[in-house]
């Protein structure tokens, strides 16, 4: 599970960089899975991302997480203009027996990071004056089972507003899909159509 959470964290940083949600000066080039990636250095952003990932780890441990979405919203009306969706088909908790050194897992995840690094070439120009949020789609029973632990971490999750979830005239841009004995993950972007 740690490898999946770490991958989602690095992916989130890549999305923040490629979609220009923060100035390029607050990012630093690092290497993950032998791929150069940009990681945000701003302490408040990093603290927020850490809280998201720790909560996600709890939700994954308690049950099924169907998908995680990074939603880019217009600041003025909080309407989504883009949604990066990571669909998590299954995650095998016995990966260490089949891939003890994570070679297969890293090879599979490397392709996702490479695709994220060039995703701006496949997408519309980033919208200006935007902010972002993370949505995690899970079963109600998973959230109920994890609720007390999330409250103890002082980072409870809330149900997303309807307006943050609804996008009209969307265009789907598939980025990457992989199916291994360790996990099934699909990554795509939903873009708001004309009239951003």
């Amino acid at each position: 599970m740690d490898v999946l959470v770490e991958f989602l964290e690095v992916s989130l940083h890549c999305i923040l960089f490629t979609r220009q949600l923060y100035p390029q000066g607050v990012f630093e080039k690092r290497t993950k899975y032998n791929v150069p990636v940009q990681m945000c250095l701003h302490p408040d952003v990093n603290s927020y991302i850490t809280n998201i990932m720790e909560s996600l780890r709890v939700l994954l441990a308690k049950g099924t997480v169907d998908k995680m979405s990074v939603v880019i919203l217009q600041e003025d009306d909080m309407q989504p203009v883009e949604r990066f969706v990571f669909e998590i088909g299954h995650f095998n908790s016995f990966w260490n027996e089949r891939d003890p050194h994570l070679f297969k897992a890293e090879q599979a995840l490397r392709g996702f990071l490479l695709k994220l690094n060039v995703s701006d070439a496949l997408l519309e120009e980033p919208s200006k004056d935007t902010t972002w949020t993370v949505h995690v789609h899970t079963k109600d029973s998973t959230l109920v089972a994890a609720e007390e632990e999330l409250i103890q971490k002082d980072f409870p999750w809330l149900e997303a507003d309807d307006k943050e979830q609804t996008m009209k005239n969307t265009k789907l841009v598939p980025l990457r899909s992989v199916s291994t004995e360790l996990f099934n993950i699909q990554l795509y972007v939903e873009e708001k159509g004309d009239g951003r």
Side-chain angles (χ1 to χ4, degrees):
M1 178 178 358
D2 289 343
V3 69
L4 179 60
V5 172
E6 179 183 61
F7 161 71
L8 292 171
E9 180 177 1
V10 173
S11 297
L12 177 51
H13 282 271
C14 289
I15 292 167
L16 298 179
F17 178 79
T18 60
R19 301 319 284 162
Q20 302 171 16
L21 286 150
Y22 297 103
Q24 289 187 354
V26 300
F27 289 88
E28 176 182 78
K29 186 182 276 188
R30 298 195 185 149
T31 302
K32 192 66 186 168
Y33 312 125
N34 291 323
V35 174
V37 294
Q38 297 288 337
M39 300 293 284
C40 187
L41 299 176
H42 193 283
D44 292 338
V45 175
N46 283 338
S47 174
Y48 183 60
I49 291 172
T50 298
N51 284 330
I52 290 170
M53 293 302 142
E54 287 304 312
S55 296
L56 183 60
R57 184 183 319 277
V58 171
L59 292 170
L60 285 165
K62 296 290 183 187
T64 303
V65 172
D66 296 324
K67 57 186 166 181
M68 181 191 95
S69 303
V70 180
V71 184
I72 301 173
L73 308 156
Q74 281 298 145
E75 281 185 339
D76 58 355
D77 61 6
M78 298 306 280
Q79 293 290 322
V81 292
E82 285 181 335
R83 186 178 4 245
F84 285 75
V85 181
F86 295 83
E87 284 190 358
I88 304 164
H90 87 280
F91 185 72
N92 186 345
S93 58
F94 301 106
W95 60 265
N96 55 348
E97 294 173 8
R98 297 184 180 132
D99 189 14
H101 301 290
L102 296 176
F103 294 132
K104 293 176 186 174
E106 286 187 8
Q107 183 178 11
L109 297 175
R110 183 179 301 121
F112 280 95
L113 294 181
L114 288 168
K115 200 65 167 185
L116 275 173
N117 280 342
V118 298
S119 64
D120 58 334
L122 304 170
L123 303 172
E124 299 290 330
E125 281 287 317
S127 295
K128 304 294 182 211
D129 301 319
T130 54
T131 188
W132 61 279
T133 188
V134 172
H135 293 172
V136 176
H137 302 258
T138 185
K139 294 180 181 175
D140 288 340
S141 60
T142 301
L143 187 58
V144 169
E147 196 166 26
E148 186 176 323
E149 194 170 342
L150 293 174
I151 290 170
Q152 289 174 356
K153 288 184 175 291
D154 201 26
F155 196 76
W157 287 76
L158 303 172
E159 188 171 339
D161 291 338
D162 286 340
K163 69 179 178 180
E164 287 184 8
Q165 298 180 52
T166 306
M167 290 177 68
K168 296 179 181 173
N169 303 322
T170 57
K171 178 175 79 171
L172 192 68
V173 181
L175 292 182
R176 182 91 172 140
S177 179
V178 69
S179 180
T180 71
E181 60 186 23
L182 306 175
F183 48 72
N184 292 340
I185 302 176
Q186 181 175 338
L187 170 61
Y188 58 89
V189 180
E190 293 175 290
E191 286 187 303
K192 188 173 180 181
D194 296 329
R196 277 192 177 196

